[in-house]
Amino acid sequence: MTHRWFASLAVSALTLFLVAMLSVIPARADGTAPKADLPSAATPTPISDQQYLTGSFTLERHLDGFDAPLTSTGEFALSPRKGLIWQNLKPFPDTTVMNDQGITRKHDDGTFETIASGARFHQFIALISAVLAGNWDPLSDQFTVTPTKTKTAQDDPGWQVTLAPKDNNGLSEQVSQIVIKGDEFVSHVTLHKSSSDRDEITLRNQKRHDLPLPDDLANLLSGNSD
Amino acid sequence: MAVRGGIWGILLLIMATFAIWQVTSGKARIDGDVLSLIGLEKTDDTARKPDIETVRDLLANDANQAIIMVSANQQDMLETATRALASDITNIPGTKSVSLPGYDAGNLARLSDFYLPHAQSLLSDRDRALLRDGNGEAVYQNAVKTLYAPASMLSAASLRADPFSLLPVFLAELGNKLGSSGIVQRDNHFHTPIIISLSPDLRRQGPDIAWVGKVNDAIANAQSTADQSDGLTIAKTGQVFFAVAEATAAKSDVQRIAIIATLGIFAMVLSVFFSPLPLIGTLITVGSGLIAGIAAVTLIFDGIHAIALVFGASLIGISVDYALHYLVLPADGKSPTARVATIRSGLSLGLLTSVCGFAVLAISPAILLAQIAVYSIAGLIAAYVTVLFILPLLPVRSVKHRSLIPRAYQKFDDTLRRLQLPRLVRGVGALAILGGFAVCVLFIPTDDDIRHLGHGNDTLTTQARLIGDTMGMGGNPVFIRIDGADSQTRLQTGEAVQNALRPLIKDGTVGSGFGLSDMIPSIKRQDENRTLIKDQLFETYAPKLAPLLPINIQTPNPDAPYLHADADAFAQFPELANLHDGMTDIVRLNAVTDANAVATAIADIDAARLINPRATITDQFAHYRNWATAGLAIALLIAGILAMARYGVIRGLCVLGTPAGAMLVALGGAAAIGITINFFTIMALFLVFAIGADYVIFFSESQKHGQQDATRFAVFLSLISSILAFGLLASSSVPVVSAIGTIMAIGLPTAWVLSYAMCPTSVKADQSDA
């Protein structure tokens, strides 16, 4: 079916990005049941549906053969129930909203442009929710999940997980590996692309909040320009 | 006699061997697909394909696809159920491949590799409109934001070839033109399709019934394992489901009727002769006709169409007349040669009349009708020769006049022999019948709509509509055909068509339209794009973009190679073959709610024409009907000339009036109960004509040899066998089968009664004999 090529364009991109963003969730919390095949330090902590996460980011896009990366900084907000808001602040302000309806971009005039749409985007939000519930299983359909670094000392809470796309989906054509590092929160995500390019995402200042979302974030996620 | 019989027997064996070899070796296949042979017309215009051929090719491609739509009120449940069902269907023999547009990732790399070198020749409609309006700023802003967008798939290679990120927008728009897919949310329910490609041999070789059965089992299993609260529902559509439903309904009817008819004919012959030998003689005669018919068709044509096979086989109803005509002759101590001599003239004239009738069909341009003609002519001649050469070799068995059927016949015969009409009245009556028949054929409403031929399946129809409404998939396909001498002309026409369709897509009249020009723009369009990109984008915005990109932004090369719809493109994307054939390109339309609006929108584009496959096939059957009707008229004319040459003007008219009257009453009776005229009912009239002509010719010829009683009884037995063989079809639930049966059930008894009325001299002769 020809149309699957095109439908997969946005979906593949979003998959990669959201998979990377999965690791934004808090990595440790009391009372979490560890997964049998992963070290407890790499086990996500459940987050209530009544919570959301905020933080800041630096995205460095390293393109093969380019001397310097394309660098952007901004803030993000992630609600397992509502979706993800990615707000570039530098070098250009730009807001992208991803939810189970698709990807939309907010223009300077306050209007929204749909980049990709469809109920299928639900699965990505579902992935986030599953991981927030302490379950890596949804990723295991599309990735081989391998803990490559575990806690080595009592005072070193760091961990690292490598995700390798399986051959049974189109993701392997786009990405060769995703490496996620963190401690209490995820601190760094490296997305190695098949083209030898890579995205480096550094996350800071993560905070967990109780719902409701502030009006500005709620409006963005609902596509309301007001 | 024995020598001739032996030689003929050997010839029949050779023909049987040849026919079996032709069919089993695949040299001449029996094709049950309605689409496979229709439209293979003899035409002098070899440069341009007829619409029906284009439709056939397109539908043949669609026939190998089935769609199942899974719906649930929870997305997680939907995915689990969909994947499980897809897995089950993948394992069913006959399934070529299964895809899940809602969950599969596509082959993006192949697509990017194909388009990226030509990125600066490609523009989405939106970007082209912006640049044409001098609004390059919006395109530039989009390019800048894409550089830093989180879900961007840009790479070093893509930036070098496409610094303004025009290609992703082009691809996204292309996806929209292909229609909705994936997962659709509606009324708090989620729906996703499973696309199934069938093995090409599945439908040709016949195991499609087993495949559909297993798919139904898999669906039932999925539904039974789901909780009721999940709201899981599954709908399916595809030609294979409709075809199997029709075939199952028809098969059930025909099996029931065939069993009743076979047992009835066996019982009739056994009860009349108290011996199996006449039954064997009947079977040999009928069998020789079938063998010769198949051998002739497979010798002349590459294959035999199922419709031709069925109608050809219906000559059983005529050839059984020949056998019974001989078998009921009293022994009288005559030699076999002498017995045959008494019926030879009647058989010969009957054969000649039928052959003339069917020969008319052979001159039509339709291969289907030519096959029917060849099958029938060869079969009837073989049956005729068998009666003359082989039946006389069988021991004679006399009719047991005290058995039930002869006694019942006697009562009918006594009654009908009282029909005594003056010669002039008969002549005027015959003329009135002929005139009435002509008027009837001209004015009785016709209906060639293929939707009305089949049994129909409300459940499948509802599900097909649901899938069409929800996913924009399946349903009755509609195409726009674009003709042109060269590829570039057709691509430009395709672009004009898309421009014309745009308002209809916007207002929902058309869900989407997709053609070759959407994937491969014309060189003219590519030139326009290059100019717009250079003048409206690069000249102004490349200097602004350059500081953001650590590359040297190159002005588009005006001499860069163009994207072509060439062998390389078709090799990389075999799916494009569905959009192109010879000097014709196709624009496929989805979810069309008003075909007339589409036709109006493209009316000014000379080389483009809307094709509704259903309407095209309906027109084709109307064409067949017209040819068959003309053939019937010519056959009547020839039969009339033969009859008047043989019996004189008045008697000849009366002879002709018998089959004509039978057809007239059959038409009128069928019309009275709501049956309209189509190709198949006209072909049924052909059979009424041929069998009815046999009846009256046998009546007339019998007087010359003093075999009136035996002949009338033979005709009566023939009538019973024909009613059993064909008349019972009237009880079928399949409309077209029922219509054929009804025509036969009304026409044949009428022909029998009219034979008494129009040929009373035989009665007088009987009386004088008495």
Side-chain angles (χ1 to χ4, degrees):
Chain A
M1 292 294 291
T2 310
H3 58 287
R4 280 187 292 127
W5 306 335
F6 309 105
S8 66
L9 178 69
V11 172
S12 296
L14 187 56
T15 301
L16 296 177
F17 185 73
L18 287 180
V19 164
M21 290 306 297
L22 293 178
S23 52
V24 171
I25 49 86
R28 288 195 307 185
D30 293 341
T32 302
K35 299 290 290 185
D37 55 347
L38 290 171
S40 59
T43 303
T45 304
I47 184 170
S48 163
D49 277 357
Q50 300 304 312
Q51 293 179 314
Y52 67 97
L53 208 65
T54 60
S56 58
F57 69 84
T58 299
L59 168 60
E60 292 182 347
R61 184 157 283 157
H62 295 264
L63 302 174
D64 188 34
F66 289 14
D67 293 335
L70 298 170
T71 304
S72 58
T73 59
E75 296 174 347
F76 71 91
L78 172 64
S79 162
R81 291 181 59 193
K82 301 285 187 178
L84 173 68
I85 300 167
W86 191 259
Q87 290 181 297
N88 271 332
L89 300 176
K90 290 181 179 177
F92 298 98
D94 180 36
T95 301
T96 303
V97 178
M98 306 174 198
N99 56 25
D100 59 7
Q101 303 302 311
I103 308 173
T104 53
R105 175 180 285 167
K106 185 186 178 188
H107 289 298
D108 298 340
D109 61 1
T111 59
F112 287 86
E113 178 190 7
T114 300
I115 306 297
S117 63
R120 63 189 315 193
F121 288 95
H122 163 85
Q123 62 184 296
F124 305 108
I125 304 304
L127 283 176
I128 295 178
S129 301
V131 175
L132 289 174
N135 180 13
W136 285 97
D137 286 349
L139 286 176
S140 63
D141 282 345
Q142 301 188 61
F143 295 92
T144 301
V145 183
T146 310
T148 54
K149 179 184 175 187
T150 58
K151 183 166 65 175
T152 56
Q154 196 67 30
D155 57 351
D156 178 9
W159 53 267
Q160 177 173 308
V161 168
T162 301
L163 306 179
K166 294 180 176 176
D167 290 336
N168 61 354
N169 57 57
L171 292 177
S172 59
E173 294 176 354
Q174 307 302 319
V175 68
S176 58
Q177 193 180 62
I178 300 173
V179 180
I180 306 165
K181 298 176 184 175
D183 40 49
E184 184 178 1
F185 292 98
V186 167
S187 59
H188 196 82
V189 178
T190 306
L191 200 153
H192 296 273
K193 299 180 181 178
S194 302
S195 57
S196 302
D197 302 327
R198 73 179 192 279
D199 283 356
E200 302 270 2
I201 305 170
T202 303
L203 303 168
R204 292 178 298 275
N205 307 325
Q206 292 100 317
K207 288 181 186 169
R208 192 161 28 175
H209 311 269
D210 293 329
L211 290 177
L213 288 162
D215 287 347
D216 56 339
L217 297 182
N219 286 338
L220 281 171
L221 285 169
S222 62
N224 187 345
S225 60
D226 294 333
Chain B
M1 180 67 75
V3 174
R4 286 184 295 185
I7 293 171
W8 178 239
I10 292 169
L11 285 175
L12 283 176
L13 284 175
I14 292 171
M15 283 191 281
T17 307
F18 175 76
I20 291 169
W21 173 68
Q22 285 280 82
V23 172
T24 56
S25 68
K27 290 185 179 300
R29 63 189 178 88
I30 297 173
D31 202 323
D33 193 338
V34 173
L35 298 172
S36 63
L37 276 181
I38 59 171
L40 294 180
E41 320 297 352
K42 305 166 200 163
T43 172
D44 296 330
D45 186 0
T46 53
R48 187 170 172 276
K49 262 187 169 183
D51 283 354
I52 188 70
E53 279 195 50
T54 304
V55 166
R56 189 194 62 235
D57 292 346
L58 290 167
L59 294 191
N61 180 65
D62 287 359
N64 288 328
Q65 187 184 80
I67 300 170
I68 290 176
M69 183 177 77
V70 185
S71 307
N73 51 25
Q74 294 293 328
Q75 286 226 48
D76 298 336
M77 166 62 194
L78 179 72
E79 180 170 358
T80 303
T82 302
R83 289 190 184 280
L85 180 57
S87 174
D88 289 347
I89 292 172
T90 302
N91 294 325
I92 296 174
T95 301
K96 184 179 174 190
S97 64
V98 173
S99 62
L100 306 176
Y103 306 106
D104 292 346
N107 191 348
L108 192 59
R110 184 171 60 131
L111 196 66
S112 297
D113 290 347
F114 179 72
Y115 278 120
L116 199 55
H118 306 280
Q120 293 184 12
S121 300
L122 305 171
L123 278 175
S124 66
D125 291 341
R126 190 199 73 157
D127 284 351
R128 186 165 42 253
L130 286 170
L131 295 180
R132 199 184 290 138
D133 294 344
N135 192 1
E137 176 69 23
V139 180
Y140 163 72
Q141 287 292 338
N142 181 67
V144 170
K145 289 176 180 176
T146 300
L147 291 176
Y148 304 99
S152 168
M153 289 309 298
L154 61 81
S155 65
S158 71
L159 272 182
R160 287 191 182 96
D162 182 24
F164 285 93
S165 294
L166 300 169
L167 186 56
V169 186
F170 171 81
L171 294 178
E173 191 174 88
L174 205 51
N176 291 334
K177 286 178 181 174
L178 280 161
S180 62
S181 62
I183 303 170
V184 170
Q185 181 180 8
R186 182 180 285 185
D187 301 330
N188 294 323
H189 263 66
F190 298 92
H191 315 268
T192 193
I194 299 173
I195 309 293
I196 305 162
S197 290
L198 308 177
S199 165
D201 294 335
L202 184 69
R203 293 195 63 192
R204 271 206 299 272
Q205 295 180 354
D208 50 351
I209 292 178
W211 185 86
V212 168
K214 285 179 176 145
V215 168
N216 288 337
D217 291 344
I219 290 173
N221 180 52
Q223 289 173 322
S224 67
T225 53
D227 290 338
Q228 202 158 11
S229 60
D230 295 329
L232 182 75
T233 58
I234 298 173
K236 59 181 184 287
T237 190
Q239 287 185 32
V240 66
F241 295 116
F242 283 96
V244 167
E246 289 293 346
T248 304
K251 189 178 173 186
S252 169
D253 282 351
V254 171
Q255 276 180 343
R256 171 176 55 81
I257 292 165
I259 290 171
I260 295 172
T262 305
L263 292 177
I265 291 173
F266 277 30
M268 180 192 79
V269 176
L270 290 173
S271 70
V272 168
F273 295 98
F274 285 8
S275 166
L277 280 175
L279 186 60
I280 293 170
T282 305
L283 292 176
I284 292 173
T285 308
V286 170
S288 64
L290 296 178
I291 288 168
I294 293 174
V297 172
T298 54
L299 179 67
I300 295 172
F301 302 98
D302 294 333
I304 180 167
H305 193 276
I307 295 174
L309 189 66
V310 170
F311 269 106
S314 65
L315 61 85
I316 291 170
I318 308 172
S319 56
V320 79
D321 292 355
Y322 297 175
L324 291 170
H325 199 37
Y326 172 80
L327 292 169
V328 299
L329 290 175
D332 293 345
K334 291 180 182 174
S335 69
T337 306
R339 294 177 73 227
V340 165
T342 60
I343 63 165
R344 182 179 285 120
S345 61
L347 279 183
S348 302
L349 197 55
L351 173 70
L352 185 62
T353 307
S354 297
V355 165
C356 287
F358 284 112
V360 173
L361 291 181
I363 63 171
S364 84
I367 296 292
L368 175 64
L369 297 187
Q371 286 192 357
I372 292 172
V374 169
Y375 193 127
S376 302
I377 290 170
L380 287 178
I381 291 173
Y384 170 82
V385 176
T386 299
V387 170
L388 295 187
F389 293 168
I390 292 184
L391 294 198
L393 302 179
L394 298 176
V396 178
R397 292 292 182 268
S398 299
V399 172
K400 306 300 179 190
H401 289 284
R402 290 163 65 184
S403 62
L404 179 64
I405 290 177
R407 280 192 290 162
Y409 155 74
Q410 204 57 56
K411 291 187 186 304
F412 285 122
D413 188 60
D414 289 344
T415 305
L416 290 172
R417 283 168 62 188
R418 295 194 184 97
L419 280 174
Q420 298 287 335
L421 299 174
R423 188 163 175 262
L424 188 62
V425 172
R426 282 185 279 125
V428 171
L431 279 175
I433 283 171
L434 289 168
F437 178 66
V439 171
C440 207
V441 167
L442 288 175
F443 292 104
I444 280 189
T446 59
D447 181 5
D448 301 292
D449 194 331
I450 56 167
R451 290 174 300 180
H452 301 156
L453 298 179
H455 177 269
N457 184 307
D458 292 342
T459 303
L460 282 177
T461 303
T462 303
Q463 291 186 3
R465 193 171 294 128
L466 178 65
I467 292 172
D469 290 346
T470 308
M471 309 298 306
M473 294 176 166
N476 180 36
V478 178
F479 312 96
I480 292 174
R481 172 183 174 147
I482 295 169
D483 294 306
D486 62 83
S487 166
Q488 289 305 314
T489 305
R490 292 193 300 273
L491 290 174
Q492 287 176 34
T493 306
E495 287 157 356
V497 165
Q498 286 291 8
N499 288 338
L501 290 177
R502 198 162 291 127
L504 300 181
I505 292 173
K506 194 173 179 182
D507 68 20
T509 304
V510 176
S512 62
F514 188 76
L516 190 61
S517 63
D518 292 303
M519 284 206 64
I520 315 281
S522 67
I523 288 176
K524 179 169 179 280
R525 172 64 60 88
Q526 291 182 55
D527 271 334
E528 291 170 0
N529 290 343
R530 288 179 180 188
T531 303
L532 283 171
I533 291 168
K534 176 176 169 292
D535 296 346
Q536 302 295 324
L537 208 52
F538 272 78
E539 288 188 359
T540 307
Y541 297 101
K544 291 173 113 177
L545 188 63
L548 303 175
L549 289 179
I551 58 170
N552 182 21
I553 299 177
Q554 300 282 344
T555 304
N557 175 10
D559 299 323
Y562 292 102
L563 191 61
H564 285 285
D566 54 13
D568 179 54
F570 289 113
Q572 290 202 52
F573 300 103
E575 296 89 338
L576 293 183
N578 298 334
L579 304 173
H580 166 76
D581 186 13
M583 288 198 271
T584 299
D585 287 356
I586 296 297
V587 176
R588 285 175 170 262
L589 305 180
N590 284 320
V592 176
T593 58
D594 184 356
N596 291 332
V598 176
T600 303
I602 63 169
D604 294 336
I605 305 172
D606 290 340
R609 194 165 72 257
L610 182 71
I611 294 182
N612 183 335
R614 189 167 62 208
T616 305
I617 296 174
T618 294
D619 289 346
Q620 183 73 4
F621 275 106
H623 179 63
Y624 287 161
R625 175 180 51 75
N626 288 332
W627 265 103
T629 306
L632 192 56
I634 296 171
L636 271 174
L637 183 65
I638 294 172
I641 293 169
L642 286 173
M644 283 188 268
R646 174 78 175 170
Y647 306 114
V649 175
I650 301 294
R651 281 190 64 199
L653 267 180
C654 292
V655 167
L656 185 65
T658 299
M663 291 190 290
L664 174 63
V665 173
L667 269 180
I673 57 175
I675 293 173
T676 49
I677 300 300
N678 58 35
F679 164 69
F680 296 97
T681 51
I682 294 291
M683 292 308 296
L685 286 180
F686 244 101
L687 291 172
V688 170
F689 161 74
I691 296 173
D694 279 352
Y695 290 174
V696 71
I697 288 170
F698 292 169
F699 267 52
S700 298
E701 290 296 315
S702 65
Q703 297 167 49
K704 299 182 186 300
H705 303 285
Q707 297 292 346
Q708 297 93 325
D709 282 337
T711 298
R712 292 201 306 277
F713 183 55
V715 167
F716 180 72
L717 294 181
S718 173
L719 173 69
I720 294 175
S721 61
S722 294
I723 293 292
L724 286 171
F726 298 111
L728 284 176
L729 294 178
S731 66
S732 170
S733 61
V734 181
V736 66
V737 178
S738 174
I740 292 169
T742 303
I743 294 279
M744 303 290 283
I746 298 172
L748 295 183
T750 306
W752 178 58
V753 172
L754 282 176
S755 294
Y756 279 89
M758 290 295 185
C759 201
T761 50
S762 68
V763 178
K764 286 177 184 171
D766 285 350
Q767 288 167 341
S768 62
D769 287 347

